[in-house]
């Protein structure tokens, strides 16, 4: 029935040449084509059709010279009185399946003479016609399947989140799904059928068409309708049977959305808030309170403190407490990466920027942190060259990749951290003064562990529970002597050293309580070192205590005014900024 128009034309052509009638039926005995006396029954099911049933069942052609008297006709009500004078029926096969029959019918002596005189020739001819009809049916079926498949593919393409665009071998746009409409803010009807260069600028698909080689996840700035879009593009060439590019299909994603998703996938560290910072000492509470106040702003923060005091933990807490907490927090250690690599890590690079550059280029940390927070740890180790580039980005809020010319706007908050005295580095010419003031909009000093000894017990207990669980060991606490040694120890490595010491002790301890013998040797031997100090009639005091008293005495002498502090700093041989930092560190002048 799918090819009935073609079959009717074939039937009419055969009837005109052979001067006999032709009918074609399907496997359900429905007449789908016919000429002459049988044409009126097209579309109706045969009332009897015994010969057709036989051919459909056996798959063999049948020629009946005396209809009504053949063995097949004996059960027919018209047996002996059939109005057919001769009958040739041939099966139509498609894919080894009988799908119908084609028949030559004689209704008078002249037509019967034609059939009986050329039976063998007609059988061969009708067989070829049956093959032609079968090929047309298969062709129609294939076309139908292609349309169905195309409809399904169109539905799938239209339902995917990525924008999808396809062009043919002439660069004419053939597909533009609904996500592409949303992304480019263009209507499909205004895009499909037009050359790609008429709609888009900097669209790289024609190069793919020319070279026959696609690419995956490259970012491009594509312009259309006076809008510049930063997109992540994947393009694949469509190959024809001749192995030449017959077109290109490309998918598009907003770069910022893809960047956010990628960061969510690769980031495994949990979010840390101010409640996760352990400590009840006055000094740590004050620092936490100050950090919580500044978290809500977008100002640059400079975190100062010795190594191991938890500067990154505070940076993460500030990020978590900000309005951009749902955006990326991207840390980078400026002291752990060589300068030539640090530049490309921070600012990214374009394809071919240097030997070994990844195909398609790579976004830098500034781009990855866009909308969120970039944490620059050990900022004091950054070279003067990179300091200059960093200053320009902080001022202009734009980044340019290594080897690139495209300016990329970034909206980020920068938190820097260092254990160096940046003021001293500025005086020695090792750190840019303008960058220092740009970074230290809000300075935050993290106290060392020796200045918050009342927190040591809390920290020891917290990490004891943590490592006991991780190492699957049962420890109920520290022995009295082990705890005393830990409280008296100076912890030069601060919290990082404390964490390592607890992990060391849990690994070695086999009992329920951590004993002195399980502590790291430096903690156990610290008491002995103190006892071995040479006896002296002079009082030996810690340097920090001496420094605190010297600054306090100078301020008492010159006064606590701005002018007095400047004179005190000059008398002590330190900078004005350093004396302010020391006043804050030692809480001088507080009642």
């Amino acid at each position: 029935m799918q090819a009935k128009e073609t079959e009717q034309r074939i039937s009419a052509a055969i009837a005109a040449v052979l001067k006999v009638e032709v009918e074609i039926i399907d496997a359900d005995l429905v007449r789908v084509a016919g000429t002459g006396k049988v044409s009126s029954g097209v579309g109706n099911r045969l009332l009897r059709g015994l010969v057709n049933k036989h051919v459909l069942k056996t798959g063999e052609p049948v020629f009946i010279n005396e209809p009504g008297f053949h063995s097949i006709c004996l059960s027919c009500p018209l047996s002996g009185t059939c109005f057919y004078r001769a009958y040739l029926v041939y099966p139509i096969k498609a894919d080894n399946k009988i799908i119908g029959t084609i028949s030559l019918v004689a209704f008078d002596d002249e037509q019967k003479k034609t059939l009986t005189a050329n039976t063998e020739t007609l059988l061969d001819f009708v067989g070829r016609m049956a093959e032609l009809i079968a090929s047309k049916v298969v062709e129609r079926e294939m076309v139908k399947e292609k349309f169905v498949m195309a409809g399904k593919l169109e539905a799938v393409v239209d339902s995917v989140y990525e924008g999808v665009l396809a062009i043919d071998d002439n660069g004419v746009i053939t597909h533009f799904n609904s996500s592409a409409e949303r992304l480019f803010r263009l209507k499909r009807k205004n895009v499909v059928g037009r050359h790609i260069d008429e709609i888009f600028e900097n669209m790289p698909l024609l190069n793919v068409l020319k070279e026959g080689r696609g690419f995956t996840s490259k970012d491009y700035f594509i312009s259309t309708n006076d809008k510049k879009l930063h997109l992540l593009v994947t393009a694949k060439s469509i190959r024809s049977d001749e192995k030449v590019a017959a077109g290109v299909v490309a998918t598009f994603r907003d770069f910022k959305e893809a960047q956010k998703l990628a960061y969510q996938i690769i980031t495994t560290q949990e979010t840390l808030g101010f409640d996760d910072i352990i400590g009840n000492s006055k000094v740590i509470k004050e620092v936490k309170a100050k950090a919580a106040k500044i978290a809500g702003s977008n100002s640059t923060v400079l975190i100062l403190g010795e190594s191991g005091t938890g500067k990154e933990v505070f940076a993460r807490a500030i990020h978590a407490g900000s309005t951009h907490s749902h955006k990326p927090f991207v840390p980078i250690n400026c002291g752990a990466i060589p300068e030539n690599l640090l530049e490309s890590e921070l600012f990214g690079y374009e394809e071919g920027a240097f030997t070994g550059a990844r195909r398609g280029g790579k976004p830098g940390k500034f781009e990855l942190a866009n909308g969120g927070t970039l944490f620059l740890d050990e900022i004091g180790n950054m070279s003067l060259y990179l300091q200059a580039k960093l200053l320009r980005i902080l001022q202009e809020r734009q980044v340019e990749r290594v080897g690139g010319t495209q300016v990329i706007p970034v909206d980020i908050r920068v938190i820097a951290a260092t254990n160096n005295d940046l003021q001293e580095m500025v005086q020695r010419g090792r750190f840019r003064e303008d960058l220092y003031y740009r970074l230290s909009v809000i300075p935050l000093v993290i106290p060392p562990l020796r200045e918050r000894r009342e927190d040591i017990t809390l920290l020891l207990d917290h990490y004891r529970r943590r490592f006991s669980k991780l190492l699957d060991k049962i420890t109920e606490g520290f022995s009295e002597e082990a705890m005393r040694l830990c409280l008296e120890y100076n912890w030069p490595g601060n919290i990082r050293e404390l964490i390592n010491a607890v992990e060391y002790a849990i690994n070695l301890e086999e009992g329920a309580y951590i004993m002195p013998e399980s502590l790291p040797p430096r903690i156990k031997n610290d008491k002995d070192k103190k006892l071995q100090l040479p006896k002296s009639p002079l009082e030996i005091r810690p340097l920090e205590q001496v420094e605190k008293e010297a600054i306090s005495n100078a301020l008492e002498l010159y006064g606590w005014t701005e002018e007095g502090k400047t004179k005190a700093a000059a008398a002590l041989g330190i900078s004005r900024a350093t004396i302010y930092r020391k006043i804050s560190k030692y809480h001088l002048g507080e009642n």
Side-chain angles (χ1 to χ4, degrees):
M1 292 298 290
Q2 295 175 18
K4 63 181 180 180
E5 294 179 0
T6 301
E7 292 158 5
Q8 185 60 45
R9 289 196 297 269
I10 293 174
S11 299
I14 296 173
V17 172
L18 299 181
K19 307 300 181 183
V20 296
E21 305 305 338
V22 181
E23 73 172 353
I24 299 173
I25 68 163
D26 64 14
D28 295 321
L29 297 180
V30 176
R31 185 179 284 124
V32 296
T35 64
K37 293 183 179 181
V38 295
S39 62
S40 60
V42 172
N44 299 324
R45 193 173 189 276
L46 301 184
L47 295 177
R48 293 167 292 275
L50 295 179
V51 179
N52 287 284
K53 288 180 181 179
H54 176 82
V55 174
L56 288 171
K57 182 178 180 180
T58 62
E60 297 295 332
V62 171
F63 175 68
I64 298 178
N65 189 29
E66 295 293 337
F69 297 98
H70 194 278
S71 59
I72 300 174
C73 304
L74 296 180
S75 60
C76 178
L78 299 179
S79 178
T81 60
C82 182
F83 47 83
Y84 284 10
R85 301 299 304 279
Y87 202 24
L88 191 157
V89 184
Y90 203 98
I92 301 174
K93 299 179 181 179
D95 296 330
N96 296 320
K97 180 182 177 182
I98 301 173
I99 61 172
T101 64
I102 179 173
S103 304
L104 302 182
V105 185
F107 286 100
D108 55 38
D109 291 339
E110 189 66 29
Q111 291 177 334
K112 180 176 181 179
K113 181 179 178 182
T114 299
L115 293 182
T116 55
N118 304 286
T119 303
E120 293 298 324
T121 302
L122 289 176
L123 277 172
D124 181 65
F125 174 74
V126 174
R128 295 181 182 276
M129 293 300 102
E131 291 176 359
L132 174 62
I133 294 169
S135 67
K136 290 296 181 181
V137 172
V138 172
E139 180 183 319
R140 287 296 184 93
E141 187 67 27
M142 290 176 64
V143 170
K144 178 184 176 183
E145 289 179 359
K146 286 182 178 180
F147 272 109
V148 172
M149 182 59 69
K152 290 180 179 179
L153 289 175
E154 189 75 28
V156 170
V157 167
D158 212 39
S159 65
V160 298
Y161 181 76
E162 290 85 354
V164 178
L165 181 151
I167 60 173
D168 62 16
D169 55 350
N170 294 315
V172 175
I173 299 171
T174 58
H175 291 80
F176 196 74
N177 74 342
S178 57
S179 293
E181 288 183 306
R182 171 185 55 80
L183 187 62
F184 292 103
R185 297 179 185 176
L186 294 170
K187 293 294 183 182
R188 185 179 316 180
K189 63 181 181 180
N190 298 329
V191 173
V192 173
R194 297 176 63 182
H195 195 276
I196 193 168
D197 281 346
E198 296 179 29
I199 309 296
F200 302 101
E201 294 180 20
N202 305 323
M203 185 71 82
L205 303 192
L206 291 179
N207 290 334
V208 177
L209 186 66
K210 180 180 179 181
E211 299 172 3
R213 184 175 61 183
F215 54 83
T216 302
S217 299
K218 290 179 65 174
D219 62 301
Y220 284 92
F221 287 88
I222 296 172
S223 300
T224 180
N225 279 357
D226 298 325
K227 298 188 297 290
K228 183 178 288 185
L229 303 174
H230 192 185
L231 303 175
L232 199 65
V233 186
T234 294
K236 301 293 181 184
S237 62
I238 304 170
R239 298 288 184 174
S240 66
D241 292 339
E242 292 78 19
K243 294 184 180 181
V244 296
V248 179
V249 62
T251 60
F252 305 85
R253 291 199 69 176
D254 183 86
F255 185 81
K256 291 182 180 178
E257 293 182 7
Q259 166 187 308
K260 179 181 177 181
L261 178 61
Y263 185 78
Q264 290 173 345
I265 293 172
I266 65 175
T267 299
T268 57
Q269 293 178 324
E270 60 182 351
T271 301
L272 295 175
F274 291 111
D275 292 338
D276 297 305
I277 299 175
I278 300 168
N280 289 323
S281 62
K282 178 184 176 182
V283 63
I284 200 66
K285 284 183 177 179
E286 290 175 350
V287 176
K288 287 169 64 174
K290 182 178 180 181
K293 288 179 182 178
I294 65 179
S297 75
N298 200 39
S299 299
T300 304
V301 180
L302 177 62
I303 302 179
L304 304 168
E306 297 178 7
S307 179
T309 51
K311 295 186 289 295
E312 182 172 341
V313 175
F314 269 90
R316 289 184 177 275
I318 292 172
H319 172 74
S322 71
T323 56
H324 304 292
S325 58
H326 60 292
K327 299 286 186 172
F329 176 90
V330 180
I332 183 168
N333 190 321
C334 301
I337 305 174
E339 180 184 355
N340 58 328
L341 295 180
L342 181 59
E343 182 178 14
S344 60
E345 282 293 314
L346 282 172
F347 312 120
Y349 59 82
E350 293 291 353
E351 181 176 338
F354 50 83
T355 303
R358 190 175 68 181
R359 184 182 177 190
K362 178 184 176 183
K365 300 297 185 184
F366 274 93
E367 291 179 67
L368 291 176
N370 197 14
T373 302
L374 177 65
F375 176 58
L376 301 173
D377 197 9
E378 296 189 27
I379 189 72
N381 291 353
M382 183 179 286
S383 70
L384 290 171
Y385 165 70
L386 292 183
Q387 289 177 33
K389 292 194 68 172
L390 174 60
L391 177 64
R392 189 179 65 184
I393 292 172
L394 293 177
Q395 291 173 336
E396 301 176 0
R397 298 291 169 174
Q398 294 178 335
V399 64
E400 186 178 304
R401 293 184 181 179
V402 176
T405 57
Q406 183 71 48
V407 175
I408 304 169
V410 290
D411 176 23
I412 58 172
R413 181 183 198 173
V414 172
I415 300 178
T418 182
N419 57 8
N420 296 321
D421 187 339
L422 292 187
Q423 271 286 346
E424 182 183 355
M425 293 181 66
V426 168
Q427 293 176 355
R428 294 166 58 187
R430 294 178 56 191
F431 201 86
R432 293 180 63 102
E433 185 176 18
D434 46 6
L435 178 59
Y436 171 74
Y437 289 116
R438 174 66 67 174
L439 291 173
S440 60
V441 175
I442 304 178
L444 188 69
V445 180
I446 311 300
L449 192 55
R450 60 183 173 276
E451 293 183 9
R452 43 181 291 213
R453 291 189 178 275
E454 53 265 57
D455 293 332
I456 293 176
T457 302
L458 292 174
L459 290 164
L460 289 171
D461 192 54
H462 171 80
Y463 289 107
R464 174 190 60 81
R465 292 194 303 270
R466 175 182 172 183
F467 287 114
S468 294
K469 184 177 181 180
L470 287 174
L471 299 173
D472 196 22
K473 301 186 80 172
I474 299 175
T475 52
E476 298 182 13
F478 287 78
S479 69
E480 184 176 340
E481 177 64 16
M483 180 61 75
R484 186 181 64 81
L485 289 173
C486 290
L487 291 173
E488 292 180 354
Y489 184 62
N490 210 36
W491 298 109
N494 294 294
I495 298 174
R496 184 183 294 117
E497 183 185 8
L498 182 144
I499 294 171
N500 293 340
V502 175
E503 184 177 5
Y504 177 94
I506 296 293
N507 271 286
L508 266 64
E509 186 56 61
E510 296 180 354
Y513 287 88
I514 296 174
M515 305 303 290
E517 294 76 16
S518 298
L519 295 173
R522 62 183 179 276
I523 299 178
K524 291 186 298 182
N525 300 335
D526 188 60
K527 178 182 177 182
D528 297 335
K529 289 180 181 178
K530 290 178 180 178
L531 293 175
Q532 293 171 6
L533 287 175
K535 293 183 180 181
S536 172
L538 298 176
E539 181 184 4
I540 304 299
R541 294 182 297 161
L543 286 175
E544 286 193 347
Q545 183 180 345
V546 174
E547 181 182 60
K548 180 178 179 181
E549 291 179 2
I551 294 173
S552 181
N553 291 336
L555 289 168
E556 290 295 334
L557 176 62
Y558 292 104
W560 293 82
T561 64
E562 297 300 317
E563 183 181 358
K565 292 174 182 177
T566 301
K567 290 181 179 180
L572 293 168
I574 59 178
S575 69
R576 187 168 177 268
T578 300
I579 198 169
Y580 275 96
R581 185 164 56 83
K582 298 294 185 180
I583 291 172
S584 174
K585 176 180 179 180
Y586 297 125
H587 306 284
L588 299 175
E590 298 182 3
N591 294 325

